[in-house]
Amino acid sequence: MKMDLDFGDVIKPDFQKHFDEERFVRTGKSNKKISDRHLLKELKQRHKFVEKRFGNRANFMDEHMADNLKQKMQGRKVKTDLKFLKKKLKQKHKQKVKSQREWKARTKRKEFGRTKRMQRRNENIASYQQGKISKRIGPRITAQQAIAEASNM
């Protein structure tokens, strides 16, 4: 065991790394995380196979069950319950749909704000140009105004 001398705490050794290396050497398979959907599919196939082959024998034990027991003894969570995996997949899907909905709303708000800013900018530019034109032209009257003033005199 290693000692952390700065704080005086005992650091737990990471046995999982050694287990993973040993498994890779022994079986040639790496211990990469399997997706929940793939794991659920494999567990369904395994469950059908066990039911078909062994029925409901209480003393049945195979390599898969032994691995699960080892993992439980090491303190890790074991994902073997089909209902749990289905529920977890459904939760992931709901979370994905929710985040997609929120992202669409966010992009819609951004686009609305962008169009509003561009509209305001265009209005400001137009009013500025109109001001320059009216300043250059000066106080002039239209033909209709001139006719109205002449008729009043």
Side-chain angles (χ1 to χ4, degrees), residues 6-7 13-14 17-18 51 60 64 70-71 75 84 95 103 107 109 122 125 127-128 138 150:
D6 292 340
F7 299 104
D14 186 19
K17 184 178 178 184
H18 301 294
E51 285 292 321
F60 171 71
H64 179 73
K70 283 181 191 175
Q71 288 180 3
F84 170 74
Q95 181 62 34
W103 183 257
T107 54
R109 282 194 312 269
N122 291 336
I125 290 172
S127 67
Y128 175 75

Side-chain angles (χ1 to χ4, degrees), residues 62-76:
D62 68 342
E63 188 177 319
H64 179 73
M65 294 176 104
D67 285 343
N68 289 346
L69 287 174
K70 283 181 191 175
Q71 288 180 3
K72 282 183 181 178
M73 288 171 58
Q74 291 168 3
R76 288 191 284 158

Side-chain angles (χ1 to χ4, degrees), residues 8-103:
D9 294 334
V10 176
I11 299 173
K12 294 181 181 178
D14 186 19
F15 292 117
Q16 186 57 42
K17 184 178 178 184
H18 301 294
F19 290 138
D20 293 344
E21 290 173 0
E22 181 184 329
R23 180 175 183 225
F24 182 72
V25 169
R26 193 168 20 94
T27 62
K29 295 179 181 178
S30 66
N31 198 18
K32 291 183 181 176
K33 185 176 178 182
I34 301 170
S35 69
D36 292 333
R37 183 171 285 139
H38 188 67
L39 184 63
L40 181 66
K41 182 180 174 184
E42 285 183 356
L43 282 175
K44 282 182 180 178
Q45 288 175 350
R46 183 184 176 283
H47 185 69
K48 285 179 184 177
F49 172 74
V50 169
E51 285 292 321
K52 183 179 175 184
R53 181 106 190 250
F54 300 103
N56 291 328
R57 283 195 226 158
N59 59 359
F60 171 71
M61 180 70 122
D62 68 342
E63 188 177 319
H64 179 73
M65 294 176 104
D67 285 343
N68 289 346
L69 287 174
K70 283 181 191 175
Q71 288 180 3
K72 282 183 181 178
M73 288 171 58
Q74 291 168 3
R76 288 191 284 158
K77 284 186 178 180
V78 181
K79 297 188 271 185
T80 58
D81 189 15
L82 294 177
K83 289 180 182 177
F84 170 74
L85 282 173
K86 285 180 184 178
K87 185 177 177 183
K88 188 173 180 184
L89 281 173
K90 196 176 275 188
Q91 286 175 345
K92 276 187 177 181
H93 181 69
K94 283 182 181 178
Q95 181 62 34
K96 196 181 287 187
V97 169
K98 181 181 175 188
S99 65
Q100 286 174 347
R101 196 178 318 120
E102 288 172 352
W103 183 257

